[in-house]
Amino acid sequence: QRPKRLTIGYTTRTPDGADVQRRHGAAVEAVVGFLTELGHRCIPFSFPENFEIEAWYETLWVVDAIAEIKRHEKIRGRPPHPDELEPLTRLVLQEADALTALDLQQCRHRATAVARDLIDAQNRANLDLLVTPALATDPPEVGSLSARTGDTVDMQRWAQLGYGFAPFSAPFNLTGQPAAVCPLSWEHDEPPLGVQIVGRHRQDHVVLQVAQLIEEQLSTANRLPPISVASVT
């Protein structure tokens, strides 16, 4: 089923206001052009001023990671041995020991405020959907996204590297909005491209409807490499 005429916001800037790599911005522009041709109203969108994922997000992530470790402790009936944990996970355990209930509560308050500001910005523009790049830059080389510096772990560096090329999912993890990443193109000798589609709460079906349109008309998701399961069956 095709969606009704929608008001769709779009951006080619990261949540903290930086320009994305040109080819990733061009992917958004291609999708916006396609959706405009279908009769949808597409308008520029800007993240709220001073929007930033800060240290409080790291704290929430640490607590979630610890909860998962504790769950596995119950399943296995023992705590993990040191050699069963990666250096980053050991650092997470150390950071968790220093957290207080007040620390966690303050982080949750900040996360709620940031999420509310982002949802309010979309509501003021009366958006049905938002289109962002899937990534801000091409992915870093294998092995470069590491938290290790010699025998130590630099969690801040790890977070900066990861958020630097992939800043668009975290904001909507906070708001809890339905979202989908749609693959777009696969140029020779270049990594695949994609865009992210974000919908209103409880409007998952609209996200899926538009994602299907993009996949049918613009995606190369059905393009197979020279060696694939399909090529040998």
Side-chain angles (χ1 to χ4, degrees):
Q1 181 179 352
R2 293 206 169 206
K4 62 179 179 62
R5 186 174 187 267
L6 303 171
T7 298
I8 301 173
Y10 65 92
T11 184
T12 57
R13 298 178 71 84
T14 64
D16 57 4
D19 288 323
V20 302
Q21 197 173 56
R22 175 58 193 157
R23 61 192 300 263
H24 293 270
V28 171
E29 292 166 1
V31 168
V32 167
F34 168 65
L35 295 174
T36 300
E37 289 178 0
L38 292 181
H40 299 294
R41 176 175 175 252
C42 296
I43 59 175
F45 174 81
S46 296
F47 283 89
E49 190 174 353
N50 299 322
F51 184 95
E52 191 172 359
I53 303 294
E54 299 170 325
W56 51 264
Y57 189 83
E58 178 184 306
T59 298
L60 296 177
W61 178 84
V62 164
V63 172
D64 285 344
I66 294 303
E68 188 65 15
I69 292 171
K70 295 300 183 184
R71 185 177 73 86
H72 280 278
E73 285 184 6
K74 282 189 175 182
I75 293 173
R76 305 191 69 175
R78 63 169 178 82
H81 299 307
D83 60 355
E84 293 177 319
L85 298 175
E86 295 181 347
L88 180 61
T89 307
R90 290 198 292 271
L91 179 62
V92 164
L93 285 168
Q94 294 172 12
E95 289 203 359
D97 286 340
L99 291 175
T100 67
L102 180 59
D103 292 332
L104 180 57
Q105 182 69 0
Q106 289 174 335
C107 290
R108 292 195 184 281
H109 274 301
R110 180 59 183 148
T112 299
V114 169
R116 184 175 59 245
D117 287 347
L118 181 51
I119 291 175
D120 286 347
Q122 296 171 75
N123 287 340
R124 284 194 298 271
N126 198 28
L127 299 184
D128 298 300
L129 285 178
L130 176 62
V131 178
T132 77
L135 300 174
T137 69
D138 290 345
E141 294 184 3
V142 174
S144 64
L145 188 60
S146 174
R148 300 188 186 195
T149 304
D151 295 330
T152 63
V153 175
D154 186 343
M155 190 167 181
Q156 184 176 3
R157 176 178 178 273
W158 176 82
Q160 288 174 343
L161 287 171
Y163 188 72
F165 88 93
F168 291 103
S169 61
F172 304 103
N173 288 339
L174 290 172
T175 63
Q177 293 173 255
V181 169
C182 305
L184 282 187
S185 67
W186 195 340
E187 300 296 336
H188 181 63
D189 291 336
E190 289 187 339
L193 285 171
V195 297
Q196 177 178 241
I197 301 172
V198 183
R200 289 177 174 270
H201 285 123
R202 300 184 180 181
Q203 295 297 300
D204 305 55
H205 62 288
V206 177
V207 173
L208 294 174
Q209 287 170 348
V210 174
Q212 181 180 17
L213 289 173
I214 293 172
E215 184 177 56
E216 290 173 349
Q217 298 298 321
L218 300 177
S219 176
T220 55
N222 60 349
R223 179 177 173 180
L224 300 175
I227 300 177
S228 66
V229 173
S231 67
V232 296
T233 55

